[in-house]
Structures are given as C-alpha cells and as structure tokens.
Amino acid sequence: MDVKAIFISRPEKNQKKFYNGKYKAHIVKIQVVVNNKGIPMDIRGLYPGTKHDITIWKHSALDLEGSRLFADNAYVGVPNSVLLTPFKHASLYDSINGKRRKTSLRFTRFERQWNRVHRRWRSRVEHYIGFLSRFRIVGSKFRGKRIMESDLLPSAIKILSNLDAWYLSEHSFRPIPSVAWFPVPPSH
C-alpha cells in the first residue's frame, strides 16, 4: 500500500488545501493497494495534497478481511495490526527481548532481515505506481479545472489499473520465494 501524488495546476479556490510543502507544488493524492502479484486491488482518491498518508489510511475504510499490508515509513507507529512497516531506525530498545540494549545503535539481525523482506514485498506497489506514472494524465501535471468535482482523473486511473491488471495476468513479475518461516515483527 502506498500513496501517489499527482501534480495539478494551481486551483483558483482553496489553494492552501492542495499545496504540499514536501513537493512545493499543488497536488492531489490517490491511495493504491496492490496484491503480492502486483495487480491493483484498490485505488482510492482524490485526496487534497495536505492530507498525510496516515489520515488517508484512516478515512479509506478498506475491507481487508484478515489480510496484511506492507506499508512504508509514513505508517510507522500506527496502532493497527493490519499494517506491516519497516523498522525506521535502530533504537536502544531490543524488539526481540523487550529489554534496553547496551550496544551501539545498530539494527539487530532480525530487524535487518525484516527490512530486507519488507523491501522486497513493497517493491510491487512501487512498480505499479511507476506503471501509472508512465501515462501523462498521472505522471505529469494535470491541468483540468475543478479536479475534485470531476470524475475524469479517477476514471482514467481506474481504466489504467484495469489495463495493468490484464497485462500482469499475462506477464507476471518474477515470483518471490515464500516467507512463511519469517515471523511477523512485534508492533513498534
């Protein structure tokens, strides 16, 4: 799961609502959920550029039915067992034994392994967002008027996602080996 920023032209009204300081531009965001084969499962949007990824997640109300999602560092600390996040940085707290470390601030072996597995699985959503970005309506500045009232951009993204789902059903990604042996990390 990840959020994609789509650049838009400066709106006539509510400019502060769409301005994002990270990109130093006016944007809207879409939330993308992709399965382990890289096929899009859900696309939600459009959200104003000032909304944080966690806020978008809380308002999306996805029906996951016991599923787990690999999310990026923006979701670290969300009290939800559905989101699996990487270890953001090494800490003095040992996540395995629950005790304070006496050594330097380096990741434990478990944390390094978890981050490696996490990167591998999260690459699916990044590949999909890269696929969407190839199309000008998503990858370059959208210059339509009244973007929040219009269905043009969400409809185009859903058409592209259906095209991508068809393509990926014919040409799948390289399979990732099973990681059933790998324990789910404790919430951090």
Side-chain angles (χ1 to χ4, degrees):
M1 178 182 70
D2 204 358
V3 172
K4 162 79 173 127
I6 301 172
F7 292 89
I8 61 171
S9 58
R10 186 175 65 198
E12 295 172 2
K13 298 178 182 177
N14 297 327
Q15 291 182 20
K16 289 184 179 182
K17 184 177 177 182
F18 295 98
Y19 186 79
N20 186 295
K22 177 182 175 183
Y23 297 102
K24 299 200 181 341
H26 295 86
I27 63 170
V28 291
K29 294 181 176 184
I30 58 170
Q31 182 183 45
V32 178
V33 178
V34 176
N35 70 5
N36 61 346
K37 294 182 181 175
I39 298 173
M41 302 304 292
D42 189 41
I43 297 177
R44 304 269 171 125
L46 304 166
Y47 298 98
T50 55
K51 295 268 188 212
H52 191 272
D53 295 3
I54 294 174
T55 309
I56 293 172
W57 160 251
K58 288 177 182 174
H59 293 305
S60 66
L62 292 171
D63 183 25
L64 300 171
E65 300 176 16
S67 300
R68 297 232 164 143
L69 296 176
F70 286 92
D72 60 7
N73 282 336
Y75 301 92
V76 171
V78 174
N80 195 335
S81 60
V82 174
L83 298 178
L84 301 174
T85 59
F87 288 97
K88 196 168 184 176
H89 52 77
S91 64
L92 289 173
Y93 185 76
D94 191 345
S95 60
I96 307 279
N97 301 326
K99 296 180 181 177
R100 190 168 171 83
R101 291 186 197 157
K102 295 180 182 179
T103 60
S104 64
L105 294 175
R106 286 193 277 180
F107 284 120
T108 63
R109 184 171 182 241
F110 172 79
E111 291 169 341
R112 281 193 312 271
Q113 287 176 338
W114 173 252
N115 282 353
R116 189 175 302 126
V117 168
H118 187 273
R119 273 193 312 268
R120 187 102 185 253
W121 282 97
R122 265 209 23 89
S123 67
R124 301 296 191 213
V125 74
E126 298 297 338
H127 284 267
Y128 179 71
I129 288 175
F131 171 81
L132 282 180
S133 297
R134 291 180 202 155
F135 297 94
R136 281 186 59 191
I137 195 164
V138 180
S140 63
K141 185 183 275 191
F142 183 78
R143 300 189 186 279
K145 299 278 184 189
R146 297 186 178 171
I147 189 162
M148 295 306 277
E149 293 91 21
S150 170
D151 283 341
L152 177 65
L153 191 58
S155 299
I157 291 169
K158 289 183 180 175
I159 290 169
L160 293 174
S161 67
N162 288 335
L163 173 69
D164 186 46
W166 169 79
Y167 179 80
L168 288 175
S169 67
E170 301 292 323
H171 310 87
S172 62
F173 284 115
R174 180 172 54 109
I176 295 177
S178 174
V179 290
W181 58 269
F182 201 80
V184 175
S187 57
H188 50 285

